[in-house]
C-alpha cells in the first residue's frame, strides 16, 4: 500500500459514484437524532439513562421532525469506554434494561413513524468478551487467531510503532502467549481479526440477531479500523499539520505518524461487502452508516459508499476538526460537495466524541452572549447543506459546552491526554428536561453518572417548550420545513466562492430548481450580491432584506431562496 495507490482507489471511487435513484431511498438525505443512551433519561434511579427512558421520550423525538434515531451502545460491557467495549453483542447491559425493552423500543419507534438504528462495533470487543479470554489464554486454542496477535521484535518491544489514538502504544503484552495484541483504541479494546472468515461470520450473525427484531440499520463504529497491514509495517513519520482530522487535542502523539498501515486499508472493502450483503438480506431496506474518523474523511467518503455493495452512508469529522473557525469552512464545503454523492454523507457538527457545536464553531458569538442565535444558524446550515444530518441530543436546545473540573472527568481518553485534551465528558452531560426538578428531570439518583451542568437548567426542555422563540421551537419549525423540501435530501451542491469572509453561501441544484442558501456567521451586518435574480425567500432566520440581486444579512442571519 502506498499513498499513490490510495489516491488511485479514491479517484476510482469518485468517478464511479453513480446517480441518485428516483424515488430516493428512505435514508438518503435523512435527519437522524443521536441518543447518547447514558445521558438521555433515567427511569430506574440508578443515575444512568436507560431504554425505557428513551421509549418515554419518543414523542419528543418524533415531534422534532427527524426521520429516525440512533442509540449509542447498550450491550453488556465493563463500560471502560462507555459501552464501546462490548463483552456480549447479544445481551443488554442490565443498567440500560432488557431485551424486552429493546423489542418494545423498536415497535414504539415504528408506531411513531421513526426509523431506529443501533450502534455496532465491528472492529473490536472488550477484553472481557469470552472470545478474547479464550484467544488470550494460549497460542493454540480454538479462537487463537480471532484477534490480531504478533510476536515481539527481537529486543522484546512491540512489533511496530503503531499507536493508539487514545494515547500510547497500540500493543499490549500477553504473557500467556508471549505475544502482543493490537488495540487501536484502549488496551481493553482488542482488535478483532476480521480477515478470519470465522470471525466475520460470527459478527454477521450478531448483526442478524438485531436486524431480525426489525431494526432499521446500524451506525458502525470506526470503519477506518476494520483491517490492518498484515505485514505489520511501521507507519512513517508525519509532518506538522499532516493529521488535521485526528482528535485528542493539539499534541495527541497519534498525530506524529502518517497512518498508512493501521487505518483505511483496502482489505476493509471485502469486509464491508460482506456486511452490506447481510443488510441486503432484509426488506424493507436496512441502512449501514459508517463512522469514518482519524483520516481525511470527507474525501474518503466515496470510497466507503461507492456502488451498491459497501456502506450506504458515512459521516466524517472534518467540519468539526479541520477548521478553528466556521469562517474557514468554504473551501472544505466545496471539497465535500465535490467528493461526496448527494445523500451519501451526513452533516455532523458534534456527537458524543466532540465538543458542543456552538461553543466549538461559534466561539465569537458565544462570547458576545449570542449563543442561542448562533445555535439556530448552525442548525440552518446542518439542515440545508448537502447530505443528511445527525443531530446530537441537546443541539436542538442550543446547549453550550460546559466546563468539567478535572476531578469529574470520566473519559479515559481525556485522562490519558490531560491537560492537552479536555475530553468528551462535557458533551455527554445529561439532558435537562425540567428546569426545577432534581437533576433537571434526568434522574432521581442522588448522584447521577454525570451531573447536569447548572448553566444548562435555563435551557431545559420545559422552559423552551413554553417559549415560541426558543431554539427548540425553531428546530421543530426548521425540520418541518425541510420535510417539505425534497430537494434538500437529494440535490447536488454548488458552493459560492467570492463571498465576504463571514458569509457561507451555496446553491442546492436540480435540473429545474435552485435553493440558494446564505448565512452570516459574523456579528456585523453584511451586504452581498447574488449570482442570480428573481429569487424569493423560502425560509428566513433573523433579519434579512432582499432587493433585486442585493441581499442584506443581519448578524447571525440566514436565508434560503428559491427560483
Ligand atoms: C468511536 C466511538 O464513537 C467512540 O466513542 C469510541 O471511544 C471509539 N470509537 C472506540 O470504540
Amino acid at each position: 500500500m502506498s499513498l499513490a495507490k490510495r489516491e488511485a482507489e479514491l479517484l476510482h471511487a469518485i468517478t464511479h459514484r453513480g446517480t441518485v435513484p428516483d424515488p430516493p431511498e428512505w435514508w438518503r438525505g435523512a435527519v437522524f437524532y443521536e441518543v447518547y443512551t447514558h445521558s438521555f433519561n433515567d427511569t430506574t434511579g440508578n443515575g444512568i439513562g436507560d431504554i425505557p427512558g428513551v421509549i418515554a421520550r419518543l414523542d419528543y423525538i418524533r415531534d422534532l421532525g427527524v426521520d429516525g434515531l440512533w442509540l449509542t451502545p447498550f450491550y453488556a460491557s465493563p463500560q471502560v469506554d462507555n459501552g464501546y467495549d462490548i463483552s456480549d453483542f447479544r445481551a443488554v447491559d442490565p443498567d440500560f434494561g432488557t431485551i424486552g425493552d429493546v423489542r418494545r423500543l423498536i415497535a414504539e419507534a415504528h408506531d411513531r413513524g421513526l426509523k431506529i438504528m443501533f450502534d455496532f462495533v465491528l472492529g473490536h470487543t472488550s477484553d472481557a468478551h469470552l472470545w478474547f479470554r479464550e484467544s488470550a489464554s494460549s497460542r493454540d486454542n480454538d479462537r487463537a487467531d480471532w484477534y490480531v496477535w504478533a510476536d515481539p521484535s527481537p529486543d522484546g518491544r512491540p512489533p511496530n510503532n503503531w499507536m493508539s489514538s487514545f494515547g500510547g502504544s497500540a500493543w499490549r503484552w500477553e504473557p500467556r502467549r508471549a505475544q502482543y495484541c493490537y488495540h487501536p483504541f484502549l488496551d481493553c479494546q482488542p482488535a478483532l481479526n476480521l480477515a478470519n472468515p470465522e470471525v466475520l461470520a460470527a459478527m454477521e450473525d450478531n448483526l442478524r440477531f438485531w436486524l431480525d427484531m426489525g431494526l432499521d440499520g446500524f451506525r458502525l463504529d470506526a470503519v477506518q479500523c476494520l483491517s490492518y497491514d498484515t505485514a505489520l509495517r511501521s507507519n512513517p513519520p508525519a509532518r506538522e499539520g499532516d493529521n488535521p482530522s485526528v482528535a485528542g487535542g493539539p499534541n495527541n502523539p497519534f498525530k506524529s505518524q502518517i497512518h498508512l498501515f493501521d487505518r483505511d486499508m483496502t482489505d476493509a472493502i471485502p469486509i464491508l461487502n460482506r456486511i452490506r450483503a447481510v443488510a441486503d438480506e432484509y426488506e424493507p431496506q436496512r441502512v449501514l452508516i459508517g463512522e469514518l474518523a482519524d483520516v481525511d474523511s470527507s474525501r474518503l467518503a466515496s470510497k466507503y459508499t461507492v456502488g451498491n455493495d459497501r456502506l450506504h452512508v458515512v459521516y466524517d469529522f472534518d467540519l468539526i476538526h479541520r477548521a478553528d473557525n466556521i469562517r474557514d469552512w468554504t473551501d472544505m464545503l466545496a471539497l465535500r460537495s465535490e467528493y461526496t454523492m448527494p445523500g451519501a454523507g451526513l452533516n455532523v457538527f458534534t456527537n458524543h466524541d466532540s465538543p458542543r457545536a456552538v461553543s466549538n464553531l461559534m466561539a465569537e458569538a458565544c462570547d458576545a452572549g449570542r449563543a442561542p442565535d448562533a445555535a439556530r444558524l448552525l442548525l440552518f446550515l446542518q439542515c440545508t447543506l448537502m447530505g443528511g444530518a445527525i443531530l446530537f441530543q441537546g443541539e436542538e436546545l442550543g446547549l453550550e459546552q460546559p466546563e468539567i473540573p478535572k476531578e469529574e472527568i470520566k473519559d479515559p481518553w481525556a485522562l490519558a491526554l490531560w491537560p492537552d485534551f479536555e475530553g468528551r465528558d462535557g458533551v455527554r452531560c445529561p439532558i435537562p428536561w425540567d428546569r426545577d426538578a432534581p437533576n433537571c428531570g434526568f434522574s432521581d439518583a442522588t448522584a447521577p453518572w454525570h451531573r447536569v451542568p447548572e448553566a444548562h437548567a435555563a435551557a431545559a426542555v420545559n422552559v423552551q417548550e413554553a417559549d415560541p422563540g426558543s431554539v427548540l421551537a425553531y428546530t421543530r419549525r426548521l425540520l418541518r420545513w425541510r420535510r417539505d423540501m425534497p430537494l434538500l435530501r437529494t440535490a447536488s451542491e454548488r458552493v459560492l466562492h467570492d463571498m465576504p469572509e463571514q458569509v457561507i453561501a451555496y446553491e442546492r441544484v436540480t435540473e429545474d430548481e435552485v435553493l440558494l442558501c446564505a448565512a452570516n456567521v459574523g456579528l456585523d451586518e453584511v451586504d452581498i450580491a447574488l449570482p442570480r435574480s428573481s429569487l424569493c425567500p423560502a425560509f428566513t432566520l433573523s433579519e434579512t432584506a432582499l432587493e433585486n440581486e442585493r441581499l442584506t444579512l443581519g448578524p447571525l442571519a440566514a436565508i434560503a431562496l428559491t427560483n
Side-chain angles (χ1 to χ4, degrees):
M1 185 70 168
S2 66
L3 281 174
K5 180 157 179 242
R6 272 194 183 175
E7 283 301 311
E9 276 177 8
L10 190 54
L11 193 66
H12 176 269
I14 292 158
T15 43
H16 292 81
R17 276 179 304 174
T19 48
V20 176
D22 182 20
E25 312 88 330
W26 67 262
W27 47 265
R28 197 177 285 279
V31 179
F32 298 102
Y33 185 75
E34 179 188 350
V35 172
Y36 193 65
T37 314
H38 284 72
S39 294
F40 196 59
N41 188 23
D42 169 22
T43 58
T44 59
N46 67 356
I48 304 169
D50 46 53
I51 293 166
V54 181
I55 297 172
R57 299 285 182 188
L58 280 174
D59 285 349
Y60 171 81
I61 297 173
R62 177 202 54 206
D63 292 347
L64 288 173
V66 296
D67 299 288
L69 65 154
W70 144 37
L71 246 71
T72 55
F74 48 74
Y75 313 104
S77 159
Q79 302 292 342
V80 184
D81 189 23
N82 276 19
Y84 286 93
D85 47 328
I86 298 170
S87 53
D88 184 344
F89 287 94
R90 298 185 186 201
V92 177
D93 189 317
D95 276 346
F96 297 116
T98 62
I99 286 269
D101 294 331
V102 172
R103 288 185 190 279
R104 198 156 60 85
L105 172 65
I106 296 173
E108 298 239 6
H110 287 165
D111 284 351
R112 289 165 177 80
L114 291 167
K115 298 285 186 183
I116 179 155
M117 291 173 310
F118 296 160
D119 220 307
F120 198 83
V121 184
L122 271 177
H124 58 261
T125 69
S126 157
D127 60 358
H129 198 293
L130 287 177
W131 295 347
F132 184 75
R133 293 219 206 132
E134 189 178 346
S135 190
S137 65
S138 68
R139 286 194 188 204
D140 55 7
N141 61 76
D142 286 348
R143 295 203 165 84
D145 58 355
W146 278 45
Y147 291 82
V148 183
W149 295 101
D151 292 336
S153 10
D155 62 1
R157 294 197 314 184
N160 63 25
N161 69 357
W162 296 356
M163 298 176 119
S164 154
S165 51
F166 285 5
S169 166
W171 296 96
R172 69 180 249 183
W173 178 246
E174 175 50 65
R176 285 170 296 172
R177 294 182 56 132
Q179 278 186 315
Y180 283 96
C181 180
Y182 176 54
H183 58 89
F185 300 100
L186 298 173
D187 63 0
C188 64
Q189 293 169 303
L192 279 165
N193 177 16
L194 294 169
N196 176 339
E198 271 186 280
V199 179
L200 191 53
M203 291 305 266
E204 287 171 22
D205 281 345
N206 283 334
L207 292 169
R208 289 189 188 97
F209 177 80
W210 298 104
L211 291 172
D212 285 346
M213 280 185 204
L215 190 73
D216 297 297
F218 292 100
R219 174 267 188 193
L220 298 175
D221 191 69
V223 295
Q224 75 279 7
C225 287
L226 300 182
S227 78
Y228 321 93
D229 177 42
T230 43
L232 301 182
R233 282 168 286 182
S234 278
N235 285 320
R239 288 157 312 180
E240 172 110 32
D242 263 350
N243 278 304
S245 301
V246 170
N251 303 319
N252 186 350
F254 188 73
K255 290 190 177 186
S256 66
Q257 299 175 356
I258 298 179
H259 293 282
L260 201 52
F261 299 119
D262 59 341
R263 294 290 188 277
D264 178 38
M265 300 299 293
T266 305
D267 295 352
I269 302 300
I271 297 170
L272 297 178
N273 296 154
R274 291 276 301 267
I275 300 304
R276 174 63 179 261
V278 172
D280 288 348
E281 288 164 15
Y282 293 83
E283 280 286 338
Q285 193 179 31
R286 310 300 210 255
V287 68
L288 300 174
I289 298 181
E291 177 214 29
L292 189 56
D294 298 338
V295 292
D296 195 357
S297 45
S298 45
R299 279 179 83 232
L300 289 171
S302 298
K303 183 168 141 186
Y304 285 76
T305 55
V306 67
N308 290 319
D309 60 359
R310 302 185 186 181
L311 303 176
H312 299 89
V313 191
V314 294
Y315 72 86
D316 64 85
F317 283 78
D318 289 356
L319 297 175
I320 299 173
H321 294 312
R322 296 189 64 161
D324 292 333
N325 193 301
I326 194 164
R327 290 173 189 243
D328 304 333
W329 269 17
T330 300
D331 287 346
M332 211 159 47
L333 291 174
L335 183 121
R336 289 174 107 232
S337 51
E338 186 187 333
Y339 277 78
T340 319
M341 182 172 161
L346 286 158
N347 297 313
V348 171
F349 289 6
T350 188
N351 55 49
H352 64 281
D353 293 326
S354 314
R356 284 272 171 210
V358 75
S359 313
N360 186 30
L361 299 168
M362 303 284 285
E364 195 186 341
C366 292
D367 291 345
R370 305 279 307 262
D373 295 327
R376 288 185 187 87
L377 186 81
L378 286 179
L379 287 159
F380 174 87
L381 292 170
Q382 199 177 0
C383 291
T384 55
L385 279 165
M386 188 174 86
I390 306 181
L391 224 65
F392 180 65
Q393 64 178 41
E395 292 293 284
E396 76 282 12
L397 305 174
L399 297 182
E400 289 181 73
Q401 178 78 358
E403 216 166 284
I404 309 290
K406 167 89 198 290
E407 56 285 5
E408 290 180 26
I409 296 280
K410 298 190 165 64
D411 178 8
W413 193 5
L415 293 171
L417 299 178
W418 189 269
D420 288 342
F421 179 47
E422 66 173 325
R424 304 171 291 179
D425 292 272
V427 79
R428 296 176 174 188
C429 288
I431 289 295
W433 294 103
D434 178 342
R435 184 186 58 194
D436 304 312
N439 303 311
C440 286
F442 161 66
S443 165
D444 292 338
T446 334
W449 86 279
H450 247 302
R451 61 192 173 81
V452 179
E454 262 163 50
H456 285 183
V461 171
N462 71 335
V463 176
Q464 299 209 29
E465 284 196 321
D467 173 8
S470 64
V471 179
L472 176 60
Y474 163 82
T475 307
R476 290 175 175 164
R477 246 190 344 269
L478 176 70
L479 286 171
R480 254 199 322 271
W481 169 72
R482 190 184 194 274
R483 281 210 155 172
D484 294 338
M485 297 286 293
L487 155 150
L488 284 172
R489 288 181 176 251
T490 53
S492 57
E493 182 177 83
R494 197 158 49 217
V495 173
L496 301 178
H497 295 272
D498 302 327
M499 286 283 155
E501 188 230 356
Q502 72 198 78
V503 173
I504 296 177
Y506 41 95
E507 291 180 333
R508 302 294 309 276
V509 267
T510 64
E511 258 169 35
D512 43 16
E513 278 179 293
V514 174
L515 186 79
L516 188 151
C517 302
N520 176 7
V521 302
L523 297 174
D524 305 314
E525 185 176 283
V526 65
D527 195 36
I528 57 173
L530 296 177
R532 52 175 89 233
S533 53
S534 315
L535 294 172
C536 33
F539 189 91
T540 308
L541 165 63
S542 190
E543 283 158 46
T544 58
L546 178 65
E547 219 182 305
N548 303 322
E549 277 125 78
R550 300 287 322 164
L551 176 68
T552 308
L553 292 166
L556 305 173
I559 194 164
L561 300 157
T562 44
N563 57 344

